[in-house]
Amino acid sequence: MKGSLIIISSPSGGGKGTLIRRLREDFEGLSYSVSHTTREIRKGEEDGVHYNFVSTERFEELIEAGEFLEYAEVHGNYYGTSKAFINKELEKGFDVLLEIDVQGAEWVRKRAPEAVGIFILPPSYAVLKERLSNRNTESETDLAVRLRNAADEVNQYKHFDFVIINDDLEKAVEDLKSVVRSGRLLRDRQTKAVRDILVSFDNAE
Ligand code: 5GP
């Protein structure tokens, strides 16, 4: 059975990274799309694990070569999702998590309308600001850019199938798991299993 695409978006600092890590600890059959980016590598990040870190020239070559399912400029850097990687993982039957911004999510929805979209919403602007500042990963300028962009980003929640409010972490993790679990129960994703069951009825004496 082919897997499905699961888009997860939130403003920077919304907590999707932590939620995705927790989800992957507990779920079989999930794959994570490692994006390409031109942003500078942060302390603690590993090339090929968190992102494929590339130069702007290389990123533009990949755009030209049609390698991306989607790409966008986010907070002043390029980010993109590799088409080949996604297709390979879907063919293996994995559900593929796309941790992408709201512009990328819009593109994926156009190209793969069956993708499940989940928006992670922080409980308030004040909490988002606090989480983003405490993370200490951005310069003052980058932090200001991310906070400024957050207001537009949260307004995009309406284009997603599910909204998870990331107030209590444990509850948000459970909510995310139940969305992924429900996606696997969709009728169209169970045709093979159902067919086998129905055949057993056809063959009954
Ligand atoms: P960060 O620099 O904090 O890792 O990511 C900044 C934003 O870029 C986040 O909203 C993240 O979800 C988004 N992002 C990461 N990878 C991709 C991608 O491949 N495509 C798009 N459109 N956005 C991405």
Side-chain angles (χ1 to χ4, degrees), residues 16 35 39 42 51 70 72 79-81 99-101 104 146:
K16 60 187 176 311
S35 298
R39 138 159 111 54
R42 289 181 195 141
Y51 283 106
E70 64 72 36
Y79 295 81
T81 304
E99 184 182 349
I100 59 179
D101 89 311
R146 283 171 186 246

Side-chain angles (χ1 to χ4, degrees), residues 3 13 36 45-46 70 75 77 146 159 165 169 172 184 189:
H36 284 67
E45 284 183 329
E46 213 180 307
E70 64 72 36
H75 315 313
N77 288 295
R146 283 171 186 246
H159 301 299
I165 299 172
L169 177 65
R184 290 181 174 181
R189 298 215 47 210

Side-chain angles (χ1 to χ4, degrees), residues 3-9 20 23 27-33 69 81 86 90 94-100 105 108-109 112 114-120 160-162 164 176-184 186 189:
S4 64
L5 291 177
I6 302 171
I7 306 166
I8 304 188
S9 290
I20 289 174
L23 179 73
F27 260 82
E28 297 282 313
L30 271 187
S31 172
Y32 178 76
S33 163
L69 171 67
T81 304
I86 301 283
L90 290 175
F94 290 136
D95 288 331
V96 185
L97 299 172
L98 306 181
E99 184 182 349
I100 59 179
V108 175
R109 268 197 306 274
E114 71 288 358
V116 174
I118 306 170
F119 194 83
I120 312 288
F160 290 74
D161 302 304
F162 296 92
I164 294 177
L176 184 56
K177 285 186 194 167
S178 55
V179 170
V180 173
R181 217 174 275 128
S182 309
R184 290 181 174 181
L186 285 170
R189 298 215 47 210

Side-chain angles (χ1 to χ4, degrees), residues 53-196:
F53 293 94
V54 294
S55 64
T56 304
E57 295 70 40
R58 178 71 189 135
F59 198 99
E60 285 171 351
E61 275 170 25
L62 292 169
I63 296 175
E64 280 298 302
E67 294 287 334
F68 292 124
L69 171 67
E70 64 72 36
Y71 69 91
E73 198 184 319
V74 191
H75 315 313
N77 288 295
Y78 275 136
Y79 295 81
T81 304
S82 155
K83 222 190 272 176
F85 177 82
I86 301 283
N87 290 337
K88 199 169 68 199
E89 298 298 286
L90 290 175
E91 286 302 328
K92 284 192 223 158
F94 290 136
D95 288 331
V96 185
L97 299 172
L98 306 181
E99 184 182 349
I100 59 179
D101 89 311
V102 292
Q103 308 168 74
E106 189 179 344
W107 271 108
V108 175
R109 268 197 306 274
K110 279 189 189 136
R111 290 171 183 171
E114 71 288 358
V116 174
I118 306 170
F119 194 83
I120 312 288
L121 194 61
S124 67
Y125 175 77
V127 171
L128 179 76
K129 188 173 176 192
E130 192 189 339
R131 286 182 185 163
L132 198 52
S133 313
N134 289 346
R135 176 168 107 170
N136 253 330
T137 45
E138 279 79 26
S139 65
E140 282 292 311
T141 323
D142 285 349
L143 186 68
V145 169
R146 283 171 186 246
L147 285 172
R148 214 172 29 244
N149 291 341
D152 284 336
E153 288 173 330
V154 291
N155 269 303
Q156 299 301 312
Y157 83 92
K158 51 177 98 74
H159 301 299
F160 290 74
D161 302 304
F162 296 92
V163 177
I164 294 177
I165 299 172
N166 189 9
D167 190 358
D168 174 342
L169 177 65
E170 294 310 317
K171 179 171 183 308
V173 170
E174 282 313 310
D175 287 347
L176 184 56
K177 285 186 194 167
S178 55
V179 170
V180 173
R181 217 174 275 128
S182 309
R184 290 181 174 181
L185 296 176
L186 285 170
R187 186 193 54 218
D188 286 352
R189 298 215 47 210
Q190 300 210 77
T191 44
K192 162 95 179 60
V194 170
R195 204 180 314 125
D196 291 348

